[in-house]
Structures are given as structure tokens and as C-alpha cells.
Amino acid sequence: MYRLPAEWEPQEAMVITWPHENTDWTPILDSITSVYLEMAREIAKRQRLVVVCGGDVGKLRVMLADSLPVDILANIEIVSCPTNDTWTRDHGFISLLSGSGRQLLDFRFNGWGEKFAAEKDNAINSYLAGTIAGEYVDRLDFVLEGGSIESDGEGTLLTTSQCLLAPNRNFMQREDIERRLKEWLAVDRVLWLDYGNLIGDDTDGHIDTIARFAPNHTILYIGTDNKEDAQYEDLKQMECQLQELSQDYGYRLLRLPTPDPIVVDGERLPATYANFVILNGAVLIPLYMQPEKDSEAIGIISTVFPDREIVGIDSRAVIHQHGSLHCCTMQIPAVSSPLQQIVEHT
């Protein structure tokens, strides 16, 4: 029987999609490339890293070779295919595990409700299907982004109504969507949040920007006591919903701080500490060069993952395109039996 694992379970690999000059990253390509190099270093230190490259593969190889030690390079494979953007969390496979196997679920990605071009990103998994071991499962008739769901690995899914019920996704009633999620993702219950959409977020409220499952029946979530913050009321209502879930299901709730507003060209960007990435032996935490808030977030997350190294990464460049570290990645969970190694595919 298959199940949807938690992110903190052992991983075989991590997938990222590299920024290039034909994406919206062009104005800050050097800055975002530096962030990706840092992510690549931290991931490949610990596990296999699959890099999807929609640009010049030769240039990327040279860049990685010039920036990373040989032992780290040995853990990196490059898959060459056309890409629109870099948000692997939303176009990547959602993986299910059984005792000895893995299913790779390929849901449709439509640019967060047809806001952005996504036809190339929606096809990336067809290139990866031959390089990642597992049973390919076609779910391309249903829109589902990895950033819109959180799993505790024990049969519970956490999501948001603002995203999954948003126009231009699936045009289905909540009950129909929930039934499909339970069947296809092998979960027993779906918990919905109706609040918490960050200003500047163009995903319609992805759960991984506001609330995350963590070990020992814990939910990490963002909040603020600053009534002058334009997000205060919405986050407070989300907090109330989470407290109700805690009463019903016994969750331990830990609140992460909200970064001070980061505004570029008059637009507030959706900075959040909830968008951290869990690796084998480490957690990558987005930082925004706000020492007090950054330190508080690191301290809280480190208490939940005491046996993992906490690595902070300056994510101010990433939020320019309205995402953060977790949005850039998608893990491939490990199965208990030996699998075919991921091989380089160019």
C-alpha cells in the first residue's frame, strides 16, 4: 500500500530547476545564480542532486565545476530540457512510497491558475521519468502544485482553500477535490486553512509559505503581534484555525516570526520563514538579513529538528519572484529496497 511520506523522512535525491537568461530572473540573474549555487552545495553535500537545465548545459557544468568541490560534483546530475521558470516544488513529481517501491505522480502545472506560461515546466517530468526510478503515474488531468500541500507522513494532508479552490485550477467543489486527494495521495484526512495568504504571493496561498508539518505532531506557522502589519488580521484568523486543529487533533503549535516588510518598486514581497527545506541531516532556512527575526526563526526551527544542521541562506533574491527556498526544490523520498541509481541524462 502506498502512502505520502513526510518531508523529513529519508530522501534519495533533491530536484531543482536552474535559472537562466530566458526566464524572469534575467534582471537579477547573477544574484539568483549565487543562491542556487549555495543551495546546490548544501544539498549535494548530503544527497544526490538532480539539476534541470533549460539553458546552456555546458555553461552550467563549468559554473558548477568552478564553484563546487569534486566530491560534491559527483552527487550532481544534469537533465537538459526546456523550462519556463524554476519553481520545482510546483511542477515536480509528488512521490508516494510503499514498502519496496515508489510512485511518481505527475499532476498538471498551469502557472498557478494560468497566470504565467507553464507549458514547458508542465512537461519537465516527462524528461525526468526516465532518470528517476519509480512507477510513473499520469495525473495530468488535475492541477496540483507541490507547494499547496503538506504531509505528516501519517495520513494527514494540510492545505488551503484559497489555493485549491481558486479559479482556473480544477473548477470542482471542495468535496470533490478532497475525495480525489484522499484517493490519489493515499491520505485519510484533509485539513483546510482558509486564511493566511501573504501579500505579494501569486500562488493563491500555498501552504508551504504559511504552515508546515514537522516531527512529533508539530505544526510550524507564521504570525505577528504587530497590528500595524497589513497581514495581521488574516494571519491571526489562520492562527485561530490552527488552534482549533490543535484542540481537535493534538498538534503542538510553534509560531515563526514574520519578517519586516520587504518592499521593492512599491511592491511588498512575500518573505516567510516557513518556506524552509528539509534535507538528509540538515534544514535550509531562508534568511532576509533581519538579524533579530532571522535568529528567532533559526532558534525555533532548530528545536524541532535537533539532530539536523541548520543552514541559513540569504533569500532576498529569491523573493523577487515571489517564492523562497522550498519553492525551488522537490525531494525524491527514499524507499527501503535498493533502487536503480539516478543516471545523468542530457
Side-chain angles (χ1 to χ4, degrees), residues 135-153:
E135 176 192 355
Y136 176 86
V137 179
D138 184 340
R139 299 290 184 202
L140 290 169
D141 59 347
F142 188 85
V143 176
L144 184 67
E145 300 127 23
S148 70
I149 56 173
E150 273 285 305
S151 170
D152 67 356

Side-chain angles (χ1 to χ4, degrees), residues 3 7 38 44 57 75 88 91 123 128-129 131 133 139 152 158-159 194 237 254 263 270 273 276 308 314 328:
R3 66 182 183 88
E7 189 171 329
E38 189 171 359
V57 174
N75 280 336
T88 311
H91 62 65
L128 292 176
T131 66
R139 299 290 184 202
D152 67 356
L158 185 64
T159 189
D194 302 308
Q237 288 180 293
L254 293 177
V263 179
Y273 294 110
F276 55 84
R308 298 179 196 242
D314 184 351
C328 301

Side-chain angles (χ1 to χ4, degrees), residues 12 97-102 333-339:
E12 180 177 312
L97 294 181
S98 67
S100 60
R102 181 168 56 212
V335 298
S336 56
S337 65
L339 286 172

Side-chain angles (χ1 to χ4, degrees), residues 2 13 21 24 29 41 55 59 79 109 111 113 122 131 137 139-140 153 160 163 169 206 216 228 237 250 298 339:
Y2 283 93
E21 59 272 12
D24 289 341
L29 190 58
R41 178 190 302 273
K59 181 178 178 181
V79 174
F109 175 59
N122 189 49
T131 66
V137 179
R139 299 290 184 202
L140 290 169
T160 68
C163 178
R169 291 297 209 286
H206 272 186
N216 300 314
E228 301 303 315
Q237 288 180 293
I298 288 172
L339 286 172

Side-chain angles (χ1 to χ4, degrees), residues 58-77:
K59 181 178 178 181
L60 176 57
R61 289 188 193 281
V62 171
M63 184 189 308
L64 292 171
D66 287 345
S67 304
L68 303 178
V70 173
D71 59 332
I72 291 179
L73 286 173
N75 280 336
I76 300 177
E77 294 87 23

Side-chain angles (χ1 to χ4, degrees), residues 240-271:
C240 290
Q241 277 196 302
L242 285 168
Q243 289 169 347
E244 291 175 2
L245 292 179
S246 177
Q247 291 174 357
D248 292 340
Y249 300 107
Y251 290 112
R252 176 177 66 142
L253 301 179
L254 293 177
R255 193 176 80 173
L256 295 167
T258 296
D260 296 330
I262 299 175
V263 179
V264 174
D265 296 331
E267 177 187 24
R268 180 170 178 173
L269 302 179

Side-chain angles (χ1 to χ4, degrees), residues 5-6 9-13 94-97 102 104 331-335 339:
E9 296 182 40
Q11 299 175 11
E12 180 177 312
I94 295 174
S95 302
L96 302 184
L97 294 181
R102 181 168 56 212
L104 304 171
Q331 72 279 358
I332 304 298
V335 298
L339 286 172

Side-chain angles (χ1 to χ4, degrees), residues 5-20:
E7 189 171 329
W8 56 86
E9 296 182 40
Q11 299 175 11
E12 180 177 312
M14 185 71 76
V15 184
I16 62 175
T17 306
W18 204 266
H20 57 83

